[in-house]
């Protein structure tokens, strides 16, 4: 097992992972997981893109490291408790990853800043992007070590102090600059790929396909209920209730609180309705499962296929921004909910269609609507100005009533 007791050395490992991500054609970000003695437990890089295709919009390095930790513990690995775990990341965590780290209870050391999507986007370590209930936790666990030098990359230390096992507690300008530049050099191309799906006028209805079509079979392999419900586009109705209720019951059995998430397409078809898997990992919420499953379904159908088949998949299984995510329970001020909001932003990665502003809907409210909208308005610029995240409650009274007592 490798060991590092120097912040600079740990950041260098994260930077090397970021370079691997750049070579892969995905966002140039990497991270490393350390125990309380500086032993390297795992290192990972961003995997949003593989083989030139969107693989998983939530596959950021930090999120993957959190899931790795819980998966290894579930397999019986003797790992220390979360408070003795530190993630060293090449880039300030986005809202999804910040929420995941806080929900897991890890510590984090950050190399480069991210003024668009980083949880510390303004650089003052006040964490105004977080709901107020989470800010003290972030201040106690998110470390921004000093960067030595006089260039634009130099900075004073802020946030939490580095853990005591780090003998060296600063980062060199060159390494911090590498972390910044490798992300900047990949960001625009990946964002373009994430928003390169066909236009709305060319989308096709998967319900029109024969029952034995590979796309239908793949959908129903992910969720047997796929295409079993169809409602008015963008207006989920009471017919969705049985599917949400069944997933909510399964969510409780799988360690959750009784939530679920459904994805409806542009035509009103149910594509997925899933519970979480929080008994396996603290961060496998229903939304995380839903958006990952849909992206990986598309990836598996397109990977290795010719251009014509890839185009067909994109037209029948459109970018989720064209449809509607329906949460059984709306966001609250928890770390898991903040992660969900961030992961939703990572799924959209661009403006919502003008004719689909209510892409994010929920049935049961998790918080006062004004408070929820205030939390979204405080998120970093990408989320509040570009994507304009604004969850709304479903309008159908019968659906509201069906889930009210669940």
């Amino acid at each position: 097992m490798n060991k590092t007791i120097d912040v600079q050395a740990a950041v260098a490992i994260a930077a090397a992972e970021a370079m691997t991500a750049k070579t892969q054609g995905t966002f140039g970000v990497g991270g490393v997981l350390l125990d309380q003695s500086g032993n390297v437990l795992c290192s990972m890089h961003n995997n949003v893109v593989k083989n030139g295709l969107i693989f998983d919009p939530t596959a950021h390095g930090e999120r993957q490291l959190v899931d790795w930790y819980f998966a290894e513990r579930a397999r019986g690995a003797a790992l220390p408790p979360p408070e003795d775990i530190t993630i060293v990341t090449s880039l300030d965590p986005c809202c999804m990853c910040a929420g995941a780290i806080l929900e897991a209870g890890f510590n984090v050391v950050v190399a480069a800043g991210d003024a668009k999507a980083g949880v510390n986007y303004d650089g003052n370590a006040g964490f105004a992007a977080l709901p107020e209930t989470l800010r003290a936790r972030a201040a106690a666990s998110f470390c921004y070590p000093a960067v030595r030098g006089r260039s634009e990359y130099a900075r004073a230390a802020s946030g939490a102090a580095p853990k005591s096992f780090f003998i060296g507690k600063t980062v060199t300008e060159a390494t911090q600059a590498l972390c910044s530049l490798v992300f900047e050099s990949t960001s625009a191309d990946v964002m373009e790929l994430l928003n390169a799906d066909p236009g709305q006028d060319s989308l096709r209805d998967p319900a029109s396909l024969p029952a034995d079509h590979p796309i239908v079979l793949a959908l129903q392999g992910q969720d047997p209920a796929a295409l079993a419900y169809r409602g008015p586009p963008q207006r989920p109705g009471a017919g969705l209730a049985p599917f949400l209720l069944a997933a909510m019951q399964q969510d409780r059995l799988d360690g959750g609180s009784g939530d679920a998430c459904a994805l409806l397409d542009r035509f009103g078809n149910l594509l997925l309705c899933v519970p979480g898997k929080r008994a396996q990992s603290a961060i496998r919420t229903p939304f995380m499962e839903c958006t990952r499953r849909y992206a990986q379904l598309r990836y598996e159908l397109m990977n290795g296929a010719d251009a014509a088949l890839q185009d067909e998949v994109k037209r029948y299984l459109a970018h989720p921004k064209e449809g509607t995510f329906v949460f059984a329970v709306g966001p609250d001020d928890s770390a898991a909910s903040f992660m969900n909001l961030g992961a939703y932003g990572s799924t959209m990665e661009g403006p919502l269609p003008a004719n689909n502003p209510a892409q994010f809907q929920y049935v049961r409210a998790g918080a006062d609507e004004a408070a929820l909208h205030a939390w979204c308005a405080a998120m970093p610029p990408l989320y509040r100005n570009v994507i304009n995240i604004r969850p709304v409650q479903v309008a159908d009274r019968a659906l509201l009533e069906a889930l009210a007592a669940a």
Side-chain angles (χ1 to χ4, degrees), residues 15-245:
E17 288 284 355
M19 289 296 293
T20 300
K22 181 181 186 300
T23 302
Q24 184 174 303
T26 188
F27 288 116
V29 184
V32 58
L33 198 69
L34 307 175
D35 69 10
Q36 71 275 27
S37 299
N39 293 306
V40 175
L41 302 176
C42 184
S43 62
M44 287 189 178
H45 58 75
N46 186 285
N47 277 299
V48 168
V49 177
K50 288 185 177 182
N51 299 319
L53 300 168
I54 302 305
F55 171 70
D56 176 359
T58 77
H60 296 194
E62 304 97 317
R63 193 281 294 164
Q64 294 177 104
L65 286 168
V66 173
D67 269 334
W68 177 91
Y69 170 85
F70 285 108
E72 288 298 300
R73 279 215 321 192
R75 284 193 279 267
L79 294 173
E83 61 267 23
D84 289 333
I85 293 291
T86 298
I87 291 178
V88 180
T89 177
S90 66
L91 190 74
D92 191 28
C94 68
C95 292
M96 173 184 67
C97 291
I101 291 166
L102 290 168
E103 181 68 13
F106 292 1
N107 304 288
V108 63
V109 173
V110 178
D114 180 357
K116 295 180 180 178
V119 70
N120 186 32
Y121 72 94
D122 55 10
N124 67 13
F127 302 106
L130 291 167
E132 189 172 357
T133 51
L134 300 176
R135 293 173 192 169
R137 287 165 56 187
S141 57
F142 281 57
C143 169
Y144 298 83
V147 177
R148 303 190 308 273
R150 298 181 180 179
S151 76
E152 62 182 295
Y153 296 102
R155 73 180 180 206
S158 62
K163 289 298 178 181
S164 59
F165 69 82
F166 286 119
I167 294 175
K169 294 179 168 60
T170 61
V171 182
T172 67
E173 284 179 303
T175 305
Q176 207 264 17
L178 174 62
C179 292
S180 293
L181 294 172
V182 72
F183 172 70
E184 292 170 7
S185 69
T186 56
S187 181
D189 288 344
V190 179
M191 292 285 282
E192 183 177 351
L193 181 63
L194 284 160
N195 289 281
D197 275 40
Q200 291 179 343
D201 293 343
S202 64
L203 300 182
R204 299 171 185 167
D205 186 351
S208 67
L209 294 169
D212 61 350
H213 192 281
I215 290 176
V216 175
L217 295 176
L219 264 174
Q220 295 176 343
Q222 284 288 341
D223 184 350
L227 304 180
Y229 164 79
R230 183 182 178 107
Q234 304 174 15
R235 293 184 62 83
L240 185 60
F243 304 100
L244 286 170
L245 289 167

Side-chain angles (χ1 to χ4, degrees), residues 195-203 298 310-319 321-322:
N195 289 281
D197 275 40
Q200 291 179 343
D201 293 343
S202 64
L203 300 182
R298 289 184 11 134
Q310 290 186 3
D311 184 69
E312 181 182 34
V313 171
K314 290 178 181 179
R315 293 181 192 279
Y316 282 104
L317 299 179
H319 191 294
K321 69 183 179 183
E322 304 294 351

Side-chain angles (χ1 to χ4, degrees), residues 316-390:
Y316 282 104
L317 299 179
H319 191 294
K321 69 183 179 183
E322 304 294 351
T324 307
F325 279 111
V326 183
F327 288 57
V329 182
D332 56 26
D333 62 353
S334 68
S337 279
F338 189 75
M339 173 189 68
N340 285 338
L341 288 169
Y344 173 79
S346 294
T347 299
M348 297 299 109
E349 282 290 11
L352 295 174
N355 63 353
N356 192 20
Q359 204 284 344
F360 184 151
Q361 298 188 34
Y362 58 87
V363 184
R364 284 171 38 193
D368 176 77
E369 184 181 80
L372 173 55
H373 290 168
W375 298 329
C376 293
M379 294 177 79
L382 173 67
Y383 305 92
R384 67 172 187 258
N385 297 336
V386 178
I387 302 167
N388 190 24
I389 298 176
R390 190 176 175 84

